[in-house]
């Protein structure tokens, strides 16, 4: 949790405070970028861009919003822009092929899925579903905070999150069953 | 409770969005519904796995990596800030603004335009109110008394300085005064009556852009005062000029006036409005006034006002008389007839107007001005273009 005094000092023009602030948030920024973009180089680019934006826009931050959601809003916007520019949206049909090589892997449902599987499954989600999952699980944000970040109605956030989880579960279940032909 | 509804509650449960009662109710359904129990197991497992996703870190410090960009941003912001600050300080009529060389080029046209309008207004006020000059006051707030012609428009002062310098160089008329006088018009405009040099040469139509050129009415359309105009006309243009220092290279009396006349600047759209004239003073800071015909000079010397006769070749000046000054000096100027010197002193906070009149005997001995117009006419045209 970023200290409020540090934010105020940074807003008042204290450059050292602002740099300290950036160091405190850079890990969070990078994590979000990495899980949304699923690519180290893209994540680095997006994180740097986000930090620079925080640096230049710190004056426009208002305390009525949480600082962490303000930061996440910046980084998710950059990621979504980047994502749209670089990756064509993957349709539900296309992704099926990806999992076919996992057919032989046996898994117990209750023993959980491999983290790698989950990450790949996340990567297959539509951008907004993926983003809400990242904010919910990687940044531990509440519905309201996610809604603030993404400028979405609360119900939409819930709906995205439920569907995202459902899709993830379906994918992973397909894994576990050895893949389902599409 | 339907299964679909329970599944939604499962999601909310995972997001800590259910009340205790709801949780109890949900579990009750799950206990009785194997398929929902299966879904619930999968969802909780998924959610736990998601919560346990490994943290990731950038391979290097992102903040360090963007430091050069941040420094660059700071530098740009600093420059932008300076520009903004400079933009806020545009005060066309202050000395600092007119001396700000950085903005000189770009803002000159605008400033001269504004200055021209302001000059016209101020001149109008000056004419009707005959304001007293106040030493040390801002130049733009004041004008010399009635001889509106004498006041250099502040905004054009720097221009006039350049112009006068150029003229000096061009004309070769070694005028020692004009350059410094122009500067003084700006700084201490009140101190100088800056009589229109014999240059107010009425007959020379050439210096059309000079408002001192009274002959062409068009030149001073905004300056609605004929009075001052007429005062300019009278000085015999031809007189040797008001150079008091004898070093001027001019041998011919007539051309002197022309040289000074060209010193007025004025290229603005309303080019006519400018009143910049070169005060023919000896040195900057000296309180002295030379009559328009160049034959007399009034100098404040301590507690006295000294009146000098200037010889025809301008090499010598002879003390005519001195007048004791009552109180503090305020201002002074020659009238158009070159024989009367009006000055104002201040005593006990009250300004007193005084008049000194030159005895007629002296004037008759000086050369008559009539000869010069031809000379000035020929000189002026060649110099005027250099101003533009």
């Amino acid at each position: 949790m970023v200290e409020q005094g540090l934010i105020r000092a940074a807003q008042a023009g204290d450059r050292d405070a602002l740099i300290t602030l950036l160091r405190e948030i850079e890990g969070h920024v990078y994590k979000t970028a990495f899980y949304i973009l699923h690519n180290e180089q893209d994540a680095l680019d997006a994180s740097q861009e986000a930090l620079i934006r925080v640096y230049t826009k710190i004056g426009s931050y208002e305390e009525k919003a949480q600082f962490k959601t303000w930061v996440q809003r910046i980084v998710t916007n950059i990621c979504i822009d980047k994502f749209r520019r670089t990756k064509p949206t993957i349709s539900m049909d296309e992704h099926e092929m990806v999992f076919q090589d996992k057919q032989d892997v046996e898994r117990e449902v209750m023993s959980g899925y491999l983290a790698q599987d989950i990450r790949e499954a996340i990567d297959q989600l539509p951008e907004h579903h993926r983003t809400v999952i990242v904010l919910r699980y990687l940044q531990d944000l509440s519905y309201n905070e996610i809604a603030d970040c993404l400028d979405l109605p609360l119900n939409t956030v819930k709906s995205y999150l439920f569907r995202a989880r459902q899709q993830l579960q379906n994918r992973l279940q397909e894994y576990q069953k050895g893949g389902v032909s599409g | 409770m339907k299964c679909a509804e329970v599944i939604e509650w499962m999601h909310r449960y995972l997001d800590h969005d259910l009340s205790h009662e709801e949780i109890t109710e949900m579990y009750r359904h799950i206990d009785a519904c194997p398929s929902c129990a299966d879904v619930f197991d999968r969802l909780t497992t998924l959610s736990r796995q998601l919560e346990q996703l490994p943290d990731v870190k950038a391979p290097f410090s992102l903040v360090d990596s963007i430091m050069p960009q941040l420094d660059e941003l700071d530098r740009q912001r600093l420059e932008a800030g300076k520009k903004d600050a400079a933009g806020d300080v545009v005060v066309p009529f202050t000395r600092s603004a007119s001396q700000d060389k950085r903005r000189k080029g770009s803002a000159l046209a605008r400033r001269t335009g504004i200055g021209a309008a302001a000059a016209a207004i101020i001149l109008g006020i000056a004419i009707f109110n005959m304001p007293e000059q106040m030493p040390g006051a801002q130049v733009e707030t004041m004008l010399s008394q009635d001889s509106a012609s004498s006041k250099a428009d502040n905004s054009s002062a720097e221009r006039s300085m350049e112009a006068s310098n150029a003229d000096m160089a061009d004309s070769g008329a070694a005028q020692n005064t004009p350059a410094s006088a122009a500067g003084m018009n700006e700084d201490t405009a009140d101190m100088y009556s800056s009589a229109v040099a014999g240059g107010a040469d009425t007959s020379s139509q050439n210096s059309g852009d000079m408002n001192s050129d009274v002959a062409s009415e068009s030149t001073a359309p905004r300056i609605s005062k004929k009075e001052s105009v007429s005062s300019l006309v009278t000085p015999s243009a031809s007189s040797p000029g008001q150079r008091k220092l004898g070093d001027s290279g001019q041998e011919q009396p007539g051309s002197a006036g022309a040289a000074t006349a060209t010193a007025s600047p004025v290229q603005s759209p309303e080019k006519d409005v400018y009143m910049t004239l070169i005060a023919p003073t000896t040195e900057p800071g000296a309180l002295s006034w030379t009559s328009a015909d160049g034959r007399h000079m009034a100098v404040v010397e301590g507690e006295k006002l000294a009146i000098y006769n200037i010889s025809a070749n301008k090499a010598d000046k002879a003390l005519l008389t001195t007048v004791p000054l009552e109180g503090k000096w305020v201002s002074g100027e020659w009238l158009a007839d070159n024989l009367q010197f009006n000055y104002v002193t201040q005593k006990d906070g009250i300004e007193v107007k005084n008049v000194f009149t030159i005895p007629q005997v002296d004037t008759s001995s000086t050369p008559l001005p009539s000869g010069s117009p031809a000379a000035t006419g020929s000189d002026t045209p060649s110099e005027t273009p250099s101003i533009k």
Side-chain angles (χ1 to χ4, degrees):
Chain A
M1 190 65 184
V2 178
E3 189 200 341
Q4 207 66 29
L6 191 62
I7 298 167
R8 289 193 188 130
Q11 289 191 296
D14 182 341
R15 189 176 191 268
D16 290 342
L18 185 47
I19 297 296
T20 305
L21 197 57
L22 293 182
R23 291 192 193 283
E24 286 193 14
I25 62 173
E26 78 162 84
H28 296 287
V29 168
Y30 180 75
K31 189 153 82 170
T32 296
F34 180 83
Y35 275 99
I36 292 178
L37 298 171
H38 204 207
N39 171 302
E40 184 179 273
Q41 190 53 53
D42 288 348
L44 288 171
D45 292 347
S47 304
Q48 288 172 327
E49 193 178 333
L51 290 172
I52 289 170
R53 203 173 289 183
V54 170
Y55 186 85
T56 55
K57 304 281 185 191
I58 188 70
S60 68
Y61 164 69
E62 294 174 13
E63 280 183 24
K64 64 186 178 188
Q66 283 192 78
F67 186 68
K68 67 173 178 181
T69 57
W70 184 73
V71 170
Q72 289 300 320
R73 182 190 187 114
I74 288 173
V75 66
T76 52
N77 279 336
I78 290 172
C79 287
I80 289 171
D81 284 350
K82 221 174 184 40
F83 182 76
R84 285 176 181 161
R85 278 200 307 268
T86 57
K87 284 189 184 177
T89 305
I90 296 166
S91 77
M92 295 288 274
D93 295 330
E94 286 173 89
H95 81 274
E96 305 289 356
M97 305 303 289
V98 177
F99 295 97
Q100 285 188 355
D101 61 337
K102 305 262 167 66
Q103 280 182 11
D104 300 328
V105 181
E106 298 237 349
R107 293 185 182 88
E108 288 289 329
V109 171
M110 295 312 290
S111 69
Y113 311 103
L114 294 176
Q116 182 59 31
D117 292 343
I118 294 179
R119 283 163 66 166
E120 287 185 11
I122 291 171
D123 199 33
Q124 303 302 316
L125 293 173
E127 65 183 37
H128 268 106
H129 291 187
R130 184 182 340 169
T131 305
V132 294
I133 286 289
V134 169
L135 293 178
R136 162 68 182 83
Y137 286 102
L138 278 307
Q139 299 299 334
D140 208 19
L141 300 188
S142 69
Y143 293 150
N144 275 317
E145 290 165 344
I146 295 170
D148 284 345
C149 280
L150 301 179
D151 250 345
L152 291 173
L154 193 63
N155 282 334
T156 307
V157 170
K158 284 186 193 179
S159 155
Y160 280 172
L161 193 53
F162 297 175
R163 276 191 264 161
R165 256 192 304 244
Q166 200 65 54
Q167 287 172 37
L168 286 175
Q169 191 194 322
N170 292 343
R171 302 274 145 82
L172 293 168
Q173 199 171 1
E174 289 162 9
Y175 265 3
Q176 194 260 336
K177 287 177 179 173
V180 176
S181 64
Chain B
M1 204 177 181
K2 290 175 183 171
C3 288
E5 198 179 344
V6 172
I7 288 173
E8 188 187 325
W9 280 30
M10 289 178 200
H11 285 281
R12 289 177 57 202
Y13 167 79
L14 294 174
D15 295 324
H16 320 293
D17 194 43
L18 282 189
S19 67
H20 281 294
E21 293 74 22
E22 288 170 325
I23 292 172
T24 308
E25 195 177 338
M26 182 192 74
Y27 272 120
R28 199 178 296 143
H29 177 94
I30 290 171
D31 285 345
C33 178
S35 74
C36 279
D38 187 43
V39 170
F40 184 70
D41 284 343
R42 289 169 189 275
L43 280 176
T44 46
T45 304
L46 171 69
S47 191
R48 194 176 64 243
Q49 293 292 323
L50 287 168
E51 281 166 359
Q52 290 170 357
L53 277 171
D55 203 357
V56 288
K57 288 210 165 18
F60 49 83
S61 163
L62 292 171
V63 174
D64 287 345
S65 72
I66 59 170
M67 272 304 189
Q69 287 163 275
L70 300 185
D71 290 340
E72 175 66 14
L73 281 169
D74 282 345
R75 200 182 56 75
Q76 288 173 359
R77 234 184 299 187
L78 204 65
E79 282 178 5
K82 274 180 193 166
K83 267 178 208 158
D84 289 348
D88 292 337
V89 184
V90 181
V91 184
F93 293 103
T94 62
R95 209 177 300 169
S96 63
S98 62
Q99 289 172 350
D100 186 353
K101 293 194 171 160
R102 203 155 45 96
R103 303 183 57 79
K104 188 159 120 185
S106 63
L108 188 58
R110 180 163 45 104
R111 267 189 303 158
T112 50
I114 295 168
I121 293 165
I122 294 170
L123 278 171
I125 294 167
I127 290 153
F128 292 112
N129 294 344
M130 300 286 280
E132 297 299 337
Q133 293 174 353
M134 293 177 293
Q138 287 287 346
V139 178
E140 68 264 24
T141 63
M142 48 186 307
L143 276 182
S144 75
Q145 291 131 332
D146 55 350
S147 125
S149 58
S150 65
K151 278 317 136 197
D153 171 59
N154 191 27
S155 70
S156 66
E158 58 184 334
R159 181 80 80 92
S160 77
M161 181 125 62
E162 291 166 9
S164 63
N165 285 335
D167 283 345
M168 287 314 100
D170 291 349
S171 66
Q175 301 234 14
N176 7 21
T177 54
S180 60
M184 280 188 255
N185 271 346
E186 183 181 7
D187 291 340
T188 58
D190 51 313
M191 306 296 266
Y192 296 92
S193 64
S194 59
V196 178
D201 169 19
T202 58
S203 62
S204 89
Q205 300 286 347
N206 315 319
S207 52
D209 55 348
M210 300 189 307
N211 38 18
S212 61
D213 176 8
V214 192
S216 63
E217 276 298 326
S218 65
T219 54
R222 295 209 179 178
I223 304 154
S224 55
K225 40 77 196 174
K226 296 281 183 185
E227 187 185 344
S228 68
V229 169
S230 64
S231 76
L232 292 175
V233 181
T234 41
S236 53
S238 54
S239 78
Q242 57 275 67
R243 247 90 26 47
K244 7 185 126 81
L245 298 193
D247 55 3
S248 87
Q250 300 195 21
E251 302 302 321
Q252 302 218 340
S255 59
T260 26
T262 53
S264 33
V266 188
Q267 321 317 47
S268 80
E270 308 101 323
K271 53 188 175 186
D272 32 285
V273 186
Y274 290 100
M275 290 279 138
T276 307
L277 296 163
I278 304 310
T281 54
T282 47
E283 299 143 37
L287 289 170
S288 68
W289 293 260
T290 306
S291 63
D293 61 5
R295 285 176 294 176
H296 301 292
M297 179 167 69
V299 180
V300 175
E301 296 176 342
E303 302 288 302
K304 296 179 299 182
L305 174 67
I307 307 295
Y308 293 93
N309 270 339
I310 299 176
S311 63
N313 62 7
K314 295 171 290 296
D316 306 307
K317 59 180 183 180
L319 183 61
L320 183 64
T321 184
T322 60
V323 184
L325 293 174
E326 300 278 324
K328 211 173 95 187
W329 181 262
V330 175
S331 64
E333 77 178 313
W334 287 99
L335 285 198
D337 63 2
N338 296 319
L339 296 176
Q340 190 171 323
F341 185 73
N342 285 354
Y343 60 99
V344 179
T345 56
Q346 191 180 37
K347 192 177 184 184
D348 302 327
I350 300 162
E351 292 193 343
V352 182
K353 290 184 182 178
N354 305 278
V355 176
F356 177 83
T357 308
I358 307 272
Q360 285 295 327
V361 190
D362 293 320
T363 57
S364 62
S365 65
T366 54
L368 282 175
S370 56
S372 63
T376 31
S378 61
D379 279 1
T380 316
S382 64
E383 287 160 4
T384 309
S386 71
I387 299 170
K388 291 188 176 177

